[in-house]
Amino acid sequence: MTPTPENLKKREKYLSKALKERLSEGDTESKSDYFTQTADYPKAFRVGACESAGSDRVTFEVLLFWRTDGKDRQQEITVVAVEESGTWLIDRVDSGE
C-alpha cells in the first residue's frame, strides 16, 4: 500500500481522472497511503453511511480498524466517488479528523 508508481498503476482503474493526476504528481517519498490516510495500515474496514451529492457524485464513510497489543482502534475516513463514463470511481479521500 506504500505510495509508489507501481501501486498507483494497480489502482488506477478505480480512480477518477482527476485523482489519478493528483496522485501522479504527489509525494512519492511519503510512506502514508492516500486511501487509508496512514502509514500504519489497518487490519480491516467497514463501509458506513452513504449519501448522494448529485446525480454523478456520492459521499460515504469508511471505518478503518486496527488491533494491536489487545487494544482496538478505529478511524473514519470519507470517500467521494464520481460517475465517469458509466463507472463509479474514487475521486477524493478525506481524513475524518
Side-chain angles (χ1 to χ4, degrees), residues 1-3 11 15 19 22-23 30-38 41 77-78 90-95:
M1 293 176 65
T2 304
R11 296 175 179 182
L15 309 178
L19 181 55
R22 285 193 307 269
L23 293 177
S30 173
K31 299 293 182 209
S32 183
D33 175 56
Y34 173 80
F35 302 96
T36 59
Q37 306 282 306
T38 181
Y41 307 125
I77 58 174
T78 302
I90 298 171
D91 190 52
R92 191 176 77 236
V93 178
D94 296 317
S95 173

Side-chain angles (χ1 to χ4, degrees), residues 30-89:
S30 173
K31 299 293 182 209
S32 183
D33 175 56
Y34 173 80
F35 302 96
T36 59
Q37 306 282 306
T38 181
D40 178 21
Y41 307 125
K43 303 299 181 210
F45 71 94
R46 183 182 77 205
V47 177
C50 178
E51 34 177 271
S52 174
S55 63
D56 64 347
R57 183 174 292 273
V58 296
T59 301
F60 58 96
E61 69 182 29
V62 176
L63 294 173
L64 307 173
F65 299 97
W66 293 261
R67 182 173 178 88
T68 53
D69 299 328
K71 294 183 179 184
D72 293 329
R73 182 171 67 97
Q74 73 179 37
Q75 177 182 330
E76 181 181 318
I77 58 174
T78 302
V79 178
V80 176
V82 295
E83 186 178 17
E84 290 182 0
S85 302
T87 303
W88 286 96
L89 304 168

